[in-house]
Amino acid sequence: KMHLAAIESYTTGLRKDTFVPTLLSNRAQAYIVLKNWPQAIADAAASLSIRPDCKKTYKRYIKALEKTSHRDVSELLRSALEPSSWSIEGDVEKSAEMLKSDGNT
């Protein structure tokens, strides 16, 4: 229940300013707790597209990717972010390859 309220609060903040990486990252964490992997991935990826050097967000991004049961992580990310204009293509491919090489897909 607390995490749903947090998501609503972060969403309200993002309505005022869409490109706040901290709000996106924190909302990703709330989605992780709720096991809503596609939304967690989308928010973490969006946050990383704005602030790519944030280690905490990157850990959240990887955690959500590891928990998803989808075979094609790249496709999941593309569909989760549409119709946004955020470009994370290189990171998507790199993360998918890392997961494949670790045997997590």
Side-chain angles (χ1 to χ4, degrees):
K1 201 170 188 178
M2 177 177 64
H3 297 290
L4 291 174
I7 288 169
E8 183 57 37
S9 179
Y10 298 135
T11 301
T12 298
L14 289 164
R15 284 188 192 117
K16 295 175 184 174
D17 187 352
T18 307
F19 301 106
V20 180
T22 302
L23 293 178
L24 288 163
S25 181
N26 288 348
R27 190 170 69 174
Q29 178 59 33
Y31 281 127
I32 286 170
V33 171
L34 296 174
K35 298 181 181 179
N36 185 336
W37 310 125
Q39 285 300 143
I41 291 167
D43 280 356
S47 180
L48 287 170
S49 74
I50 301 163
R51 190 176 58 193
D53 60 339
C54 182
K55 291 179 182 177
K56 183 187 285 187
T57 302
Y58 190 72
K59 287 178 183 178
R60 291 172 177 170
Y61 178 67
I62 293 301
K63 181 175 185 173
L65 285 174
E66 289 173 342
K67 296 294 185 176
T68 187
S69 62
H70 295 275
R71 287 286 203 193
D72 187 353
V73 174
S74 297
E75 185 58 35
L76 171 65
L77 287 170
R78 283 187 197 99
S79 66
L81 292 175
E82 282 183 12
S84 113
S85 61
W86 291 317
S87 175
I88 58 165
E89 196 70 30
D91 290 340
V92 170
E93 299 301 328
K94 187 167 120 182
S95 296
E97 288 304 314
M98 285 174 33
L99 287 172
K100 285 179 186 175
S101 68
D102 286 344
N104 290 330
T105 58

